[in-house]
Amino acid sequence: MTNSVSHGSPRSPFGGGSDVDRLTATPAGVKLGSLDLIPDGTARNFVLEMRAGRFHGFVVRRGAQVYGYVDRCAHMPVPLTQQLDAYLTPDATHIQCSWHGALYTVEEGRCVGGPCVGARLLPWPVTTIDGMIVTVGEDTE
């Protein structure tokens, strides 16, 4: 399978293609890059171009641990951020939707504040192997 990884760009959730056309999963074993790409306590957007379509996701780093999610709010099918890589609250304790203020836990993607309490972000299984961030198959996580 041919895949390419890029760092995304800000976009309007209301233009540039339908959310339905976006993929919500990636194959296992895709190397996203070095863990050093994401400073500790921050998040980074990734866009994967695959034969089946385009995947938009992001990874949050906490120390050596990484947490990946599909870049789509659980409240409405829009990207979480209006500014590139601005997924976290200012104190970096939660993921925040910049459109409606929904707050999600970093570790589980569970909404704990805003219009969708109890809902969850779609997980994007990722891990680190030898200092590289790599996608993981859902059945092997």
Side-chain angles (χ1 to χ4, degrees):
M1 173 179 266
T2 302
N3 301 313
S4 66
V5 178
S6 67
H7 191 225
S9 60
R11 60 205 177 278
S12 167
F14 307 109
S18 167
D19 184 66
V20 175
D21 298 330
R22 291 188 182 185
L23 301 176
T24 58
T26 60
V30 177
K31 293 181 181 178
L32 301 175
S34 168
L35 182 61
D36 295 336
L37 284 175
I38 308 172
D40 192 13
T42 67
R44 183 177 172 112
N45 170 278
F46 291 90
V47 177
L48 280 71
E49 297 280 346
M50 297 183 288
R51 287 185 192 147
R54 182 177 290 161
F55 173 87
H56 292 263
F58 67 99
V59 175
V60 180
R61 178 179 174 188
R62 288 220 170 139
Q65 184 66 44
V66 290
Y67 304 91
Y69 296 99
V70 174
D71 187 5
R72 186 172 60 202
C73 183
H75 171 234
M76 294 185 71
V78 297
L80 286 163
T81 182
Q82 299 177 55
Q83 186 176 8
L84 187 61
D85 297 336
Y87 292 97
L88 302 180
T89 55
D91 63 2
T93 59
H94 290 85
I95 298 164
Q96 182 173 23
C97 176
S98 66
W99 298 99
H100 305 104
L103 293 174
Y104 302 90
T105 61
V106 170
E107 297 81 2
E108 299 177 323
R110 185 174 40 87
C111 184
V112 293
C116 56
V117 172
R120 291 183 185 267
L121 297 174
L122 287 174
W124 179 30
V126 295
T127 192
T128 55
I129 299 174
D130 297 327
M132 295 291 290
I133 304 166
V134 181
T135 60
V136 178
E138 291 183 39
D139 57 344
T140 60
E141 184 179 41

